Amino acid sequence: MIEKLAISPLFVGLPEKDLRGLAQIVVQRTFKKGETIFHEGEEGAGFYLVVTGLVRVFKLSYEGKEQILHVFGPGEPIGEVPVFAGQSFPANAQALMDSSLLYISRADFIDLIKKHPSMALNMLAVLSKRLRRFTKLVEDLSLKEVPGRLAAYIFSLDESGEAGGRVRLEITKGHLASLLGTIPETLSRILAKMTKKGLIETEGPWITILDREGLEELAQGETRLKDLD
């Protein structure tokens, strides 16, 4: 259990004896693919930490249109903001695959922060990272066309920093379309056009970056996909 807790940025720097204490108050929960973790409007009595699997956090409009806000993987907390604000969850959370999560109650975690004030800095770092993600999401949805959003997303997965870098899509194209604010059919057409233009190469869930400079210009809005005709 200690190893599972230690992978989270929330608990960086926490001594092993304190991790052992934390392990006594967490509850391990498993969720099947497609199972709901919490609904929008539910009381934020505690938060979760992803151990294995993937979880999507999303909003639904009155018309049933879905917008994915985040996709979280191992080590990342979910639902921590409403917990500390004493509010309800502002969005829904669902397992994208069979997932194992740790649940920590609000009261227990607040007591832990009182004993270890330095953890508040870890929390601020996580919240700052979330704020940057939201800012980028708003910017992409409002200022960029879908090809630019897709190009930026591909770069967010790439750690190689060079042409020929391969990235793997861990989520379905349907979920990726929702994350980018479009529909699967449009996403498929854009992927096909990017491939035709020699920007990328696709093979199942894998995407290989062939023209990093061209893809970067697309991601930054310096060019549009139709300009490459």
Side-chain angles (χ1 to χ4, degrees), residues 147-212:
R149 297 175 211 162
L150 176 56
Y153 180 77
I154 292 173
F155 276 127
S156 74
L157 301 177
D158 178 50
E159 297 179 352
S160 68
E162 57 188 35
R166 291 184 90 209
V167 301
R168 178 183 173 87
L169 297 179
E170 298 289 350
I171 58 178
T172 67
K173 289 182 179 178
H175 289 138
L176 177 56
S178 175
L179 181 64
L180 299 177
T182 187
I183 59 176
E185 293 78 8
T186 299
L187 178 64
S188 294
R189 287 197 298 270
I190 292 171
L191 281 169
K193 193 165 186 180
M194 283 183 171
T195 300
K196 183 179 179 182
K197 299 302 177 186
L199 298 175
I200 61 172
E201 184 175 75
T202 61
E203 182 181 354
W206 290 95
I207 295 178
T208 301
I209 299 173
L210 301 178
D211 181 356
R212 173 169 292 274

Side-chain angles (χ1 to χ4, degrees), residues 19-53:
L19 287 173
R20 292 185 185 280
L22 179 60
Q24 301 302 312
I25 65 173
V26 302
V27 178
Q28 186 155 358
R29 297 181 179 178
T30 57
F31 296 87
K32 295 292 186 182
K33 179 181 178 180
E35 189 174 353
T36 297
I37 297 168
F38 55 76
H39 289 284
E40 180 178 352
E42 278 185 24
E43 178 188 0
F47 71 98
Y48 295 85
L49 184 71
V50 181
V51 178
T52 61

Side-chain angles (χ1 to χ4, degrees), residues 51-169:
V51 178
T52 61
L54 286 175
V55 173
R56 66 174 178 143
V57 175
F58 64 99
K59 298 275 287 185
L60 285 174
S61 70
Y62 288 113
E63 296 78 21
K65 183 179 178 181
E66 176 188 294
Q67 173 64 57
I68 293 181
L69 305 175
H70 294 297
V71 175
F72 293 127
E76 297 191 275
I78 302 172
E80 74 287 353
V81 176
V83 166
F84 295 107
Q87 300 173 345
S88 58
F89 292 116
N92 308 281
Q94 181 187 56
L96 285 175
M97 60 177 67
D98 291 352
S99 302
S100 175
L101 279 68
L102 298 179
Y103 175 79
I104 305 173
S105 76
R106 178 178 187 271
D108 287 337
F109 194 67
I110 288 178
D111 284 343
L112 190 64
I113 285 183
K114 288 178 180 178
K115 295 176 184 175
H116 304 282
S118 62
M119 286 188 61
L121 295 177
N122 293 350
M123 177 61 72
L124 285 173
V126 171
L127 295 180
S128 295
K129 184 177 180 182
R130 296 281 166 89
L131 180 59
R132 286 195 298 271
R133 284 187 185 179
F134 268 122
T135 301
K136 188 175 186 309
L137 177 64
V138 171
E139 177 187 343
D140 286 349
L141 290 178
S142 59
L143 301 178
K144 292 182 181 177
E145 296 181 342
V146 179
R149 297 175 211 162
L150 176 56
Y153 180 77
I154 292 173
F155 276 127
S156 74
L157 301 177
D158 178 50
E159 297 179 352
S160 68
E162 57 188 35
R166 291 184 90 209
V167 301
R168 178 183 173 87
L169 297 179

